Amino acid sequence: MRIRRFAAAAATVAVGALVLSGCAAPQSEIVEGSSLSVAWNQPFYSYNDLTSFGNATANANITYSTNSRFNFYDDTPKLIQDTSFGTYEKVSDDPLVVKYTIADGVKWSDGTAVDAADLLLNWVSLSGAENTPDFDSTQFTNPDTGEFTPDFPTDVVFFDSGADPTTGPGLVSKLPEVSDDKKSITMTWDAPFVDWELSFTTAGLPAHVVAQQALGIEDPQEAKDALVAAITDNDAASMAKIANFWNTGFNFTEMPSDTSLVVSNGPYTITNFVADQYITLTANENYVGDHKPQVAEITVRFITDPLAAVQALQNGEVQVISPQATADVSDALAALDVTVVGGYEGTYEHIDLQFDQSKSGHFNNPLIREAFMKVIPRQEIVDKLIVPIQADAVTRDSQVFLPGAEGYDDSAKANGSADYADVDIAGATALLAEAGVTNPEVCMLFSSTNPRRANEFLLIQQSGALAGFNVTDCSSPDWGGLLGTPSAYDASLFGWQSTSLGVTNGPPPTFNSKGINNLNFYSNPDMDKLTDQLGKEFDLDKQIEIQKKIDKLLWEDFYGVTIFQFPAVTAFDQTKIANIAPSTLSPTIFWNVWEWSPVSE
């Protein structure tokens, strides 16, 4: 086993640290006939990872590989602009005005040009500027799948992007200006936003495909023109159809018969997809950017069991794996002649408690939420499941700060997490008595195919029983799509993966009442004010102070608990593939997929 280690995330990820570079990757040539297989632990299920349903790493890995962006993070991590796809220019600071321009010759994989129509669709979907006011989509969510129900109203405009008019792209409420050559849009922000550079990074979904499907128009250019007209004129009837298709039309779990649903503008395009088995990416013949790939075909195999992934690597069925780290995985990899990259990921394990939409209804009561937090054996989980892999592993004691980052230590001391350092059965029992409940049921959602989470659940179940909690197994292979589903569960056990270094990467989308990652229906007006304030604060010291207040308020509200920072493990067969360099940020191993290089025999 060849071992390489990358620095712990805390050493490389500084809050709000953005480093720009104009560098482009060197041009490469596709090695004809080359192929590679990589294992991932969850099946792909949506080509739109911008919705609350599709927002998952398993989807983002694929959409990242198949689509280009104005900027991306490397493994340092540094923010790099891809000018071969397009450019952005800050025209004005007050008001904040930004112009986005698609580069010459950029096309979708079906040959249709990428242009302002795509950017305009991306704006209207991410901003929610034309959404029907006060519409509540939660009553039209299937509790078994997390998808919208067939009776979703057809007369409302609702893009399921978590748009909030007080933060992010939601601050662009005015219709952007489209250039005469239809390659640029200029967006004027209602207020300053510190992470504007990270808020609009792709062309989004193909406008011509969305309009063709939603409006029944065959010709791609006519479809784009109709979509632009619908947005420009705020045509509610057409926009309702467009939004509905944008929300649901790209959800599929096998290769769609209509291949227009998989058009891409990046290095790869989806060419095959077998449910629960694999998805195949093939080099995009119409790609003209700087990130031309070297591997002709990549197959992402869905292997949910970490040890099965190691076995597949040993057998040569896959050449790259990045499974969830366990002691058994580490031992199994030690016996193989492969390169292993370890360290810490930008992902942390946590438990969120449902608020007014909990399945049992118990967690509407803060006393019961507090009682349950007291029985979660955070330290035992770390000692038994993580320390055998990472000897220096400790509990993560902040909902906001990355361990090692500036502000973490001070916040952890003052945020109230110390009250949950040890299990307190007596305290939990007293709180349940005060609440007037006995043996409350807690339905816990987690991945049914994840052995480490199954072990965590058992430890939580055993500890909870000592205080009278009946913690039940509500695990599912489709857990990701169920996270934002009303009344589907009481508590969820999963990991959040950081996608950027932006100061607003976590708190606003996760803890704001309107945030796309607010999956447990948490709502506190004070929190909304703090998250809104954070996005408009450019002073680093003041950002940290706001984050400390956010962190403390979450523990005071009995939001849930953090448990540990993920230990990382990526393994690959160095005799078959080169240039594997995992990043702490999503999409981890896939960030430089175009640089992956087959090794000659």
Side-chain angles (χ1 to χ4, degrees):
M1 176 180 65
R2 295 170 172 83
I3 298 178
R4 296 202 333 249
R5 305 187 74 83
F6 58 78
T12 57
V13 182
V15 176
L18 297 180
V19 182
L20 291 177
S21 169
C23 299
Q27 286 290 319
S28 59
E29 295 292 334
I30 296 175
V31 178
E32 188 173 351
S34 59
S35 63
L36 168 71
S37 290
V38 54
W40 197 255
N41 59 20
Q42 182 184 359
F44 174 87
Y45 63 89
S46 178
Y47 203 44
N48 187 358
D49 62 342
L50 298 174
T51 66
S52 61
F53 175 77
N55 180 26
T57 302
N59 298 325
N61 292 341
I62 304 304
T63 60
Y64 181 94
S65 302
T66 56
N67 289 286
S68 298
R69 51 204 41 81
F70 290 105
N71 58 42
F72 63 96
Y73 282 99
D74 67 10
D75 58 332
T76 309
K78 293 180 181 179
L79 189 66
I80 298 175
Q81 294 184 26
D82 180 7
T83 56
S84 70
F85 171 70
T87 58
Y88 52 90
E89 173 190 5
K90 185 164 67 170
V91 178
S92 168
D93 282 311
D94 188 17
L96 176 60
V97 179
V98 185
K99 182 178 182 179
Y100 296 85
T101 303
I102 299 296
D104 293 338
V106 176
K107 299 178 181 179
W108 294 100
S109 55
D110 63 2
T112 303
V114 179
D115 58 22
D118 303 297
L119 299 179
L120 203 60
L121 173 61
N122 202 29
W123 162 76
V124 78
S125 58
L126 296 183
S127 69
E130 297 186 7
N131 281 5
T132 301
D134 302 320
F135 173 69
D136 181 9
S137 66
T138 60
Q139 59 185 311
F140 301 102
T141 303
N142 187 323
D144 296 322
T145 66
E147 294 187 86
F148 289 140
T149 56
D151 61 340
F152 192 94
T154 58
D155 59 348
V156 299
V157 180
F158 177 73
F159 288 94
D160 181 32
S161 64
D164 179 353
T166 64
T167 189
L171 286 168
V172 187
S173 62
K174 299 175 183 176
L175 180 72
E177 178 185 343
V178 176
S179 63
D180 292 338
D181 63 4
K182 298 183 179 180
K183 293 179 62 177
S184 303
I185 67 169
T186 300
M187 304 199 311
T188 300
W189 295 65
D190 302 334
F193 184 65
V194 64
D195 288 333
W196 64 269
E197 196 168 13
L198 304 172
S199 298
F200 195 80
T201 59
T202 73
L205 294 171
H208 66 290
V209 173
V210 173
Q212 284 173 319
Q213 299 281 348
L215 304 179
I217 301 173
E218 185 174 347
D219 181 77
Q221 188 58 54
E222 290 180 9
K224 287 199 289 187
D225 291 344
L227 180 140
V228 170
I231 295 174
T232 303
D233 299 337
N234 200 357
D235 176 354
S238 296
M239 289 304 299
K241 296 177 182 178
I242 290 169
N244 183 60
F245 190 81
W246 186 91
N247 290 335
T248 63
F250 293 89
N251 297 338
F252 47 84
T253 55
E254 61 184 356
M255 192 67 183
S257 57
D258 185 349
T259 56
S260 72
L261 299 180
V262 296
V263 299
S264 66
N265 59 40
Y268 287 95
T269 188
I270 298 172
T271 54
N272 195 14
F273 182 15
V274 177
D276 297 321
Q277 294 187 40
Y278 63 84
I279 192 166
T280 301
L281 309 177
T282 301
N284 180 3
E285 295 179 355
N286 279 323
Y287 177 71
V288 297
D290 289 338
H291 296 158
K292 292 182 179 179
Q294 299 181 50
V295 180
E297 183 179 277
I298 295 175
T299 298
V300 180
R301 300 190 180 278
F302 312 132
I303 304 178
T304 57
D305 186 330
L307 283 175
V310 175
Q311 186 66 51
L313 179 65
Q314 181 179 12
N315 295 343
E317 298 167 15
V318 299
Q319 289 73 55
V320 186
I321 65 173
S322 190
Q324 195 166 90
T326 66
D328 289 341
V329 166
S330 296
D331 291 343
L333 286 174
L336 305 183
D337 183 20
V338 296
T339 298
V340 178
V341 184
Y344 282 100
E345 295 183 12
T347 305
Y348 67 95
E349 192 84 331
H350 67 290
I351 293 174
D352 290 350
L353 307 184
Q354 288 280 36
F355 279 63
D356 65 344
Q357 298 283 354
S358 74
K359 183 174 183 178
S360 67
H362 291 308
F363 283 158
N364 296 4
N365 189 331
L367 292 173
I368 304 178
R369 294 200 304 273
E370 181 183 4
F372 188 66
M373 287 170 57
K374 284 182 176 293
V375 302
I376 297 173
R378 300 169 66 228
Q379 189 63 56
E380 185 181 12
I381 289 172
V382 171
D383 290 343
K384 289 186 174 179
L385 303 181
I386 309 303
V387 169
I389 311 165
Q390 292 282 0
D392 60 349
V394 296
T395 58
R396 169 164 166 156
D397 297 325
S398 171
Q399 295 274 10
V400 176
F401 293 97
L402 193 69
E406 185 177 359
Y408 175 86
D409 289 340
D410 290 341
S411 189
K413 291 176 183 177
N415 61 15
S417 60
D419 293 341
Y420 308 97
D422 299 307
V423 170
D424 182 3
I425 300 301
T429 303
L431 285 167
L432 292 181
E434 184 180 350
V437 297
T438 55
N439 301 116
E441 181 174 344
V442 176
C443 164
M444 179 164 283
L445 175 67
F446 60 97
S447 171
S448 61
T449 61
N450 188 310
R452 189 166 77 191
R453 293 216 172 102
N455 288 329
E456 290 179 65
F457 166 77
L458 289 175
L459 292 174
I460 295 167
Q461 185 183 53
Q462 292 165 5
S463 179
L466 298 176
F469 280 102
N470 178 25
V471 185
T472 60
D473 184 341
C474 286
S475 62
S476 169
D478 303 317
W479 63 274
L482 292 171
L483 282 172
T485 304
S487 303
Y489 60 95
D490 296 306
S492 58
L493 171 64
F494 67 106
W496 276 129
Q497 168 75 53
S498 296
T499 60
S500 82
L501 303 186
V503 69
T504 61
N505 176 54
T510 308
F511 308 127
N512 189 287
S513 60
K514 297 180 181 178
I516 188 173
N517 292 341
N518 186 337
L519 306 174
N520 60 337
F521 305 97
Y522 169 69
S523 180
N524 184 325
D526 292 334
M527 178 62 70
D528 288 349
K529 291 177 183 177
L530 287 170
T531 53
D532 295 345
Q533 183 183 354
L534 182 63
K536 300 176 179 65
E537 182 54 68
F538 288 78
D539 183 276
L540 294 180
D541 290 335
K542 292 180 180 178
Q543 288 176 357
I544 290 176
E545 291 307 311
I546 294 171
Q547 289 174 297
K548 288 180 182 178
K549 292 178 181 178
I550 290 172
D551 203 11
K552 191 171 189 295
L553 185 56
L554 289 167
W555 290 93
E556 289 176 347
D557 282 346
F558 314 116
Y559 178 90
V561 300
T562 52
I563 308 179
F564 57 83
Q565 202 70 27
F566 270 37
V569 59
T570 294
F572 61 95
D573 183 347
Q574 68 282 343
T575 68
K576 302 293 184 182
I577 190 71
N579 297 337
I580 302 296
S583 172
T584 56
L585 302 175
S586 176
T588 59
I589 59 173
F590 289 91
W591 78 266
N592 69 334
V593 63
W594 56 85
E595 292 181 341
W596 292 358
S597 176
V599 175
S600 300
E601 296 287 346

